[in-house]
Amino acid sequence: MSIPSVQTPFKRFISEYVERKTAVFAFLLLVFVLLTAFLGPFLTMQNPYDLAQITIMESGLAPGAESIDGNTFWLGTDDQGRDLVSAIVFGLRISIMVGIISGVLAVVIGTSVGIVSAYVGGRIDNLIMRVVDLFLGFPSFLIALICLAVLGRGADKVVLALVLSQWANFARIVRGVAIAEREKEYMDAARGLALPKSRIIFRHLLPNCLAPLIVVATMNVAFSITLEASLSFLGVGLPITQPSLGLLIANGYEYILTGKYWLSFYPGLSLLITVASINLVADRMRDVLNPRMKK
Amino acid sequence: MTIYSDTILEVKDLQTHFFLREGVVKAVDGVSFRVGKGEILGIVGESGSGKSVTGFSIMGLVNKPGKVVGGHIKFRGDDLAYMSEEQLRMLRGNRMSIIFQDANVSLNPVLRIDTQMIETVLAHKDVSKDEARKISINGLKMVGIPAPDERINSYPHEFSGGMRQRLSIAMALLNEPDLIIADEPTTALDVTIQAQILYETQKLCRDRGTSLIWITHDLTVIAGLVDQVCVMYAGQIVESGPVDDVLDDPQHPYTIGLIGSIPSANTRSKKLYQIPGMAPSLLSLPEGCTFRERCQFASETCKSVPPKIILSDRRAVRCFYPKGENAAENSATISPHEEDVQ
Amino acid sequence: MTLFLIRRLQQSIVVLLVMSFVVFAGVFAIGNPIDSLISPEATEQEREKAISQLGLDQPLYAQYFVFLKNVSRGELGTSFVHNRPAIKLILERLPATLELTVAALVFAIIVGIPLGLLAGLNTESLIGRGILSSSILFFSLPTFWVGLMMILLFSINLGWLPTTGRGETVEIWGIHASFLTLDGLRHLAMPAVNLGLYPLALIIRLTASGTQETIPLEYMKLAKAKGLRRRRIIFIHLLKNIMIPIVTVIGLQFSVILAFAVVTESIFAWPGMGRLIIDSINLLDRPVIVAYLLVTVVVFLIVNILVDILYSILDPRVRLGGM
């Protein structure tokens, strides 16, 4: 191999990552999406949920139409005169927030349970894995649906439902990895030094599982965003006061038959771009970080 | 020894290269030999010497990133390079066949033996399925599988290792080919079973006048089995000749070393000879003679490409100093079993 | 084989019992359905009467035992909303959902395996790379949005396919099926393709990676060395080996697709269990939710057993007795 040995792992990661052009493009796209989601709401022409800023006079306008005060509705307006660009930017922020929080939380909880289970072993491990199996017996979509049926609507409840529906996956994966790692020499060394259990777990075991975890966590954020959108689309996810992209699409659904396609097309496109860019970045990260995981 | 006049296979200056990221590996670099009808040829070499790739090249089994880039392979007088893919297919498994090293991985695990044998017959012969089954059962009987008409319905994993290798030998023999290439077919087996299979394969080929190329890293296997032998090192044939001549009077320092490292009755309680150093990486071969870095007779001269010295009709060696004679710095010849050379 | 089936049935019953309790306890926590059932003007007395009639005044464990007893008699309670046996409501709609799910899988398999083979055999070419990258895109597509876009394109703009319902059905063995009539097929096409996109992407990637891993194996070389035709090498020697992981994953995916059918059914107004369960969740129609979950679990368990049997047929090294 011609790769010089002086490179740090991080530099090496970057240099291998950029070998694939689509992956670089996906990364730039993701940066753009994130910037839009977090800075966009300060730049849009209106706050689409401030009733004082919208007028029914401008409802149902096609993309490119001009507003009364001379602005352009690049993607048109909805039935209440909301600028669709603004609505998408606000919706994107909600979707991404819910996705990141629940996606990362599920990985963190799943990982902790998995590592503890693997390290403690014995009866507790057995019990935990039974619970995990119970969760894994059901598709995550169904678990989330039932959770929301129990909990009702709301952003916090959606996050809880998403975490509950996915943590078990990671607990299972991580437990497998951790058990394999536990048998390796450096763990024997750590035990030999009589380090406390918690220190062994967090300072020695965890860092060695970290690389694959970052990849699954990234992919899980994408999956959480899609899942939340599906649930909100069905009307069991976020309330109308917190319109994510899924709700925007659901609203547009009603107008599709009357030809106002843009109301569901553009929010969906934004959702697709978001999820696809995350997935492409994660896919490349996986290839670079661990060639053996390349399936 | 029989004179084999009809040539079945003639390989001339064969070049098979592997195009890797790190560079071009010349796995086979200018190999030439001839196999007569009914003749048994042994190809001996360490792993990585290109002996298996030579066999694969003849069968047309070299996969990407490998490629046959030069030379001629003439089978029954026809140059394989000028044949269509369909013509080659009709040769493979029919006129020439191959036995792989490890039947554990060369038999398809999810197909029954009858499927795997019958398809081989049907690919080349216009017979009914029943007829093909009969031929297959006969083939199993020939290699000594007990109760072949029952066992043929089993899966590969239901046989023992030795039996599995017999299955692949039976498969290679099915269409009574003119040439069989055996790629170390006994290395994965127990020593006792090795000998049996060795003997039986030889007998089957002799009885039918089938030519055989036996590829191995083990010189002892060759001794009682083959007529001719080629010794390969780093993609080239360094020495060839009738087996008795080569074993009794080795010319190339590498062959001498190989023979010296065989344990025998005479070498008991003596330290065995070891060829110094390791087989070189094919990516960074020394220029000139590829063996020179491990050779005790090597001199400055060896940095240029050694000549092929024809000793007799079928005997040749590729070396500046055959048997180490006339070597400038080191005039002492070494005998194969000399005690502790190092 | 028989031993295997008996053992699996025993395991299934245990799982079912555990699930029934979890489901019951979970749904019990949903909240009091009485508020959504009784008009706000009802007197306190009417309210009490309704509660005791529905058995809602009993403690959780008592309700569960009543529930278990009823389950064993095939009764899962009466829908608060439809005032009909919940299990009947679900079973009426189950065939439509199953038809949609199976159609989606069949679509994914029929399209996915050839595309995956094509990609796996031509990894260097533009086609192969194109197939693989578009499969990542399929993974990212929000199913419901694609459904809407399909309606927009094929129904509204092109006018080719109907947007809602099952169309004309034919009754076989007392079950209505759409796929046997042309009109039914036209109705089935869009929802099935929509629901099948995700498993399609999965099957393409699995087939492609399986092909890439199998091609360099020794037995593939031997197949070629035996002079077999390329067609036979690929469709017998290669495919039979890569079918093993594919069947496993399809089995696992079945339940995922069955769950996601809820979304597709909502978009295309497919009269399956999906729409019913969403309505029941919104109206807190407890018996219907429970019936839906239990029926779904039973379907999962049956599918799992079928997959195991299929697996043992495909891979002779697997022996069912030893499991």
Side-chain angles (χ1 to χ4, degrees):
Chain A
M1 288 282 180
S2 55
I3 295 151
S5 52
V6 285
Q7 277 181 324
T8 64
F10 184 69
K11 267 191 186 157
R12 184 181 168 148
F13 172 80
I14 300 291
S15 75
E16 273 187 55
Y17 182 93
V18 297
E19 272 175 31
R20 184 88 56 85
K21 288 211 177 64
T22 45
V24 175
F25 176 71
F27 179 75
L28 293 177
L29 203 60
L30 182 58
V31 170
F32 172 73
V33 167
L34 289 176
L35 284 178
T36 310
F38 291 108
L39 301 178
F42 303 106
L43 305 170
T44 52
M45 63 186 276
Q46 52 173 234
N47 175 351
Y49 303 101
D50 180 359
L51 290 178
Q53 293 185 32
I54 58 174
T55 160
I56 200 85
M57 304 277 291
E58 293 174 336
S59 70
L61 294 177
E66 226 167 81
S67 76
I68 297 167
D69 42 5
N71 287 323
T72 310
F73 294 121
W74 291 109
L75 298 179
T77 61
D78 72 0
D79 57 324
Q80 298 184 31
R82 254 177 222 127
D83 169 40
L84 195 57
V85 175
S86 312
I88 287 176
V89 170
F90 275 72
L92 190 64
R93 180 166 63 169
I94 297 169
S95 287
I96 287 185
M97 292 278 277
V98 169
I100 290 180
I101 294 174
S102 55
V104 172
L105 218 54
V107 173
V108 169
I109 293 176
T111 304
S112 319
V113 173
I115 287 194
V116 169
S117 188
Y119 197 78
V120 174
R123 215 182 281 166
I124 296 172
D125 178 40
N126 233 327
L127 186 73
I128 292 176
M129 282 303 120
R130 281 288 147 81
V131 176
V132 165
D133 282 340
L134 198 67
F135 273 87
L136 287 179
F138 288 87
S140 43
F141 179 74
L142 201 59
I143 297 177
L145 198 65
I146 300 306
C147 287
L148 287 171
V150 175
L151 300 167
R153 289 183 189 177
D156 48 344
K157 287 152 189 158
V158 169
V159 169
L160 186 60
L162 291 179
V163 170
L164 275 174
S165 67
Q166 295 174 65
W167 71 277
N169 266 321
F170 306 109
R172 158 112 313 163
I173 296 170
V174 169
R175 177 177 171 270
V177 176
I179 283 186
E181 291 286 334
R182 196 178 62 183
E183 306 307 322
K184 288 187 183 162
E185 281 164 17
Y186 72 90
M187 286 302 295
D188 279 340
R191 268 193 297 265
L193 292 170
L195 298 176
K197 265 189 184 180
S198 61
R199 195 184 152 87
I200 294 181
I201 289 174
F202 288 103
R203 297 294 294 278
H204 295 267
L205 204 74
L206 197 57
N208 283 284
C209 310
L210 211 56
L213 272 178
I214 292 172
V215 178
V216 265
T218 314
M219 284 183 155
N220 198 42
V221 169
F223 187 67
S224 299
I225 291 175
T226 315
L227 208 55
E228 177 273 314
S230 306
L231 292 165
S232 296
F233 174 79
L234 289 175
V236 294
L238 292 170
I240 307 170
T241 50
Q242 288 169 304
S244 70
L245 292 176
L247 267 176
L248 287 182
I249 298 170
N251 287 339
Y253 180 31
E254 298 164 29
Y255 298 94
I256 233 178
L257 293 170
T258 56
K260 292 177 185 163
Y261 71 91
W262 60 88
L263 289 177
S264 57
F265 178 76
Y266 292 111
L269 196 65
S270 320
L271 182 62
L272 172 62
I273 290 171
T274 308
V275 174
S277 61
I278 300 177
N279 274 340
L280 284 168
V281 168
D283 196 57
R284 183 64 191 153
M285 276 180 5
R286 182 184 56 185
D287 285 356
V288 174
L289 282 176
N290 192 351
R292 275 167 306 153
M293 269 176 77
K294 213 188 288 176
K295 278 216 158 173
Chain B
M1 194 162 288
T2 342
I3 308 293
Y4 302 97
S5 48
D6 299 351
T7 301
I8 282 291
L9 177 78
E10 190 175 3
V11 175
K12 237 184 186 161
D13 201 26
L14 179 68
Q15 303 263 357
T16 304
H17 296 178
F18 284 79
F19 299 91
L20 305 180
R21 244 191 185 192
E22 297 87 347
V24 178
V25 169
K26 297 179 177 176
V28 177
D29 189 14
V31 160
S32 307
F33 58 83
R34 193 181 84 82
V35 184
K37 186 169 166 32
E39 187 178 27
I40 301 183
L41 170 79
I43 299 181
V44 191
E46 299 165 291
S47 53
S49 61
K51 57 190 194 305
S52 291
V53 180
T54 305
F56 287 169
S57 304
I58 297 166
M59 289 295 294
L61 296 177
V62 177
N63 283 338
K64 267 192 276 185
K67 201 176 179 234
V68 177
V69 291
H72 297 277
I73 302 169
K74 275 191 180 166
F75 183 67
R76 300 195 304 181
D78 302 319
D79 194 328
L80 298 188
Y82 299 114
M83 286 194 180
S84 69
E85 189 47 44
E86 177 62 12
Q87 282 172 316
L88 288 171
R89 182 193 72 72
M90 290 195 295
L91 281 184
R92 286 197 283 262
N94 187 21
R95 300 322 331 138
M96 55 160 96
S97 56
I98 186 163
I99 306 167
F100 284 104
Q101 181 168 11
D102 188 355
N104 295 328
V105 292
S106 66
L107 296 174
N108 195 320
V110 301
L111 297 177
R112 289 199 326 212
I113 293 304
D114 56 349
T115 316
Q116 300 193 47
M117 294 192 84
I118 289 170
E119 68 180 2
T120 315
V121 178
L122 291 181
H124 303 292
K125 284 200 177 100
D126 190 20
V127 294
S128 71
K129 231 180 166 172
D130 284 339
E131 191 67 27
R133 174 179 285 272
K134 263 183 218 151
I135 296 174
S136 308
I137 292 175
N138 241 332
L140 291 184
K141 209 181 287 171
M142 211 159 50
V143 295
I145 305 269
D149 39 349
E150 273 171 46
R151 296 293 272 155
I152 195 168
N153 295 320
S154 315
Y155 286 96
H157 71 275
E158 292 166 331
F159 289 87
S160 69
M163 283 297 158
R164 258 194 299 252
Q165 196 55 280
R166 281 163 201 263
L167 291 176
S168 42
I169 292 168
M171 252 178 237
L173 286 164
L174 263 185
N175 291 316
E176 308 194 324
D178 301 316
L179 172 72
I180 293 179
I181 297 171
D183 183 16
E184 306 207 46
T186 58
T187 24
L189 303 174
D190 289 345
V191 184
T192 46
I193 300 168
Q194 268 189 29
Q196 275 176 27
I197 287 190
L198 211 65
Y199 170 73
E200 283 165 24
T201 315
Q202 183 196 24
K203 189 168 179 300
L204 285 167
C205 288
R206 295 263 191 238
D207 290 351
R208 296 147 169 258
T210 307
S211 309
L212 179 63
I213 296 179
W214 195 279
I215 297 169
T216 182
H217 64 271
D218 190 351
L219 255 182
T220 48
V221 163
I222 294 285
L225 174 74
V226 306
D227 306 317
Q228 288 280 321
V229 65
C230 296
V231 180
M232 280 189 79
Y233 185 81
Q236 294 177 330
I237 294 180
V238 292
E239 179 165 4
S240 62
V243 66
D244 294 339
D245 297 0
V246 173
L247 290 183
D248 294 344
D249 185 23
Q251 302 284 318
H252 195 279
Y254 177 63
T255 320
I256 297 172
L258 272 187
I259 293 169
S261 59
I262 300 172
S264 72
N266 312 335
T267 58
R268 276 185 62 178
S269 76
K270 287 179 186 171
K271 215 168 180 180
L272 273 180
Y273 176 71
Q274 247 187 332
I275 302 175
M278 290 197 318
S281 155
L282 290 176
L283 273 168
S284 53
L285 284 176
E287 55 187 314
C289 174
T290 50
F291 186 62
R292 69 177 161 83
E293 285 174 355
R294 301 170 72 186
C295 181
Q296 4 187 341
F297 311 121
S299 69
E300 279 299 305
T301 326
C302 298
K303 283 188 179 162
S304 46
V305 178
K308 185 174 172 185
I309 301 169
I310 313 276
L311 299 166
S312 69
D313 179 27
R314 302 205 63 177
R315 184 108 171 80
V317 63
R318 195 186 285 270
C319 186
F320 286 107
Y321 309 115
K323 291 167 107 175
E325 282 161 11
N326 310 323
E329 295 95 317
N330 192 344
S331 56
T333 52
I334 92 161
S335 76
H337 292 140
E338 193 170 342
E339 206 176 342
D340 196 8
V341 182
Q342 281 302 78
Chain C
M1 188 69 170
T2 332
L3 191 74
F4 162 78
L5 280 180
I6 292 171
R7 203 178 296 165
R8 279 308 293 261
L9 277 178
Q10 285 171 343
Q11 283 172 5
S12 303
I13 288 167
V14 173
V15 173
L16 208 55
L17 267 177
V18 174
M19 282 323 301
S20 73
F21 182 74
V22 171
V23 165
F24 188 82
V27 175
F28 186 85
I30 286 183
N32 204 335
I34 206 74
D35 301 323
S36 54
L37 290 174
I38 296 244
S39 71
E41 289 100 59
T43 64
E44 192 59 27
Q45 223 171 3
E46 280 174 321
R47 217 180 128 83
E48 295 283 300
K49 197 175 149 213
I51 288 178
S52 70
Q53 222 169 32
L54 293 168
L56 295 171
D57 50 352
Q58 305 285 322
L60 170 62
Y61 67 89
Q63 286 194 38
Y64 178 64
F65 279 118
V66 171
F67 164 79
L68 263 194
K69 213 161 77 190
N70 290 335
V71 171
S72 63
R73 279 179 292 167
E75 287 170 23
L76 288 171
T78 307
S79 161
F80 302 150
V81 178
H82 301 264
N83 205 21
R84 294 183 53 208
I87 186 77
K88 266 221 172 97
L89 282 170
I90 292 293
L91 288 181
E92 272 170 14
R93 288 166 174 77
L94 178 65
T97 298
L98 282 182
E99 181 178 25
L100 179 60
T101 309
V102 171
L105 267 182
V106 168
F107 158 76
I109 293 168
I110 290 180
V111 179
I113 290 182
L115 284 182
L117 274 177
L118 204 61
L121 293 170
N122 307 288
T123 36
E124 305 291 305
S125 78
L126 212 62
I127 306 175
R129 293 229 302 240
I131 292 173
L132 281 182
S133 14
S134 41
S135 73
I136 294 194
L137 201 66
F138 284 169
F139 269 129
S140 312
L141 285 173
T143 313
F144 59 99
W145 179 68
V146 177
L148 295 188
M149 294 304 112
M150 286 169 82
I151 290 179
L152 189 65
L153 181 64
F154 294 110
S155 303
I156 297 171
N157 288 348
L158 298 170
W160 289 352
L161 295 167
T163 57
T164 57
R166 289 182 80 178
E168 199 183 314
T169 56
V170 175
E171 200 175 307
I172 37 166
W173 306 309
I175 295 167
H176 292 277
S178 294
F179 71 98
L180 292 170
T181 68
L182 189 65
D183 184 53
L185 271 180
R186 275 163 44 83
H187 281 81
L188 182 59
M190 270 204 296
V193 169
N194 181 226
L195 189 56
L197 279 182
Y198 184 80
L200 173 68
L202 206 63
I203 289 177
I204 287 178
R205 289 183 78 82
L206 266 176
T207 312
S209 62
T211 305
Q212 276 171 273
E213 281 163 24
T214 309
I215 291 262
L217 293 185
E218 206 86 325
Y219 61 78
M220 294 298 290
K221 267 194 178 150
L222 183 65
K224 190 182 178 192
K226 290 197 297 189
L228 302 183
R229 291 182 176 81
R230 193 171 155 78
R231 225 177 326 141
R232 188 169 173 93
I233 297 177
I234 290 172
F235 291 107
I236 305 286
H237 285 257
L238 176 74
L239 205 56
K240 240 201 132 182
N241 274 285
I242 56 177
M243 278 315 280
I244 295 167
I246 292 176
V247 164
T248 319
V249 170
I250 290 175
L252 290 174
Q253 279 299 304
F254 190 90
S255 55
V256 175
I257 300 165
L258 195 68
F260 259 101
V262 171
V263 182
T264 301
E265 285 177 9
S266 302
I267 299 166
F268 294 94
W270 187 263
M273 304 186 294
R275 195 61 249 177
L276 179 69
I277 188 67
I278 293 293
D279 290 341
S280 303
I281 287 174
N282 284 330
L283 295 169
L284 297 182
D285 195 349
R286 205 188 281 175
V288 179
I289 300 174
V290 172
Y292 169 77
L293 286 174
L294 288 186
V295 167
T296 313
V297 175
V298 171
V299 173
F300 291 176
L301 292 173
I302 293 173
V303 169
N304 281 343
I305 294 179
L306 287 179
V307 167
D308 279 342
I309 292 174
L310 200 57
Y311 197 91
S312 76
I313 293 172
L314 282 173
D315 192 343
R317 290 162 295 185
V318 174
R319 283 279 156 263
L320 290 181
M323 288 170 75

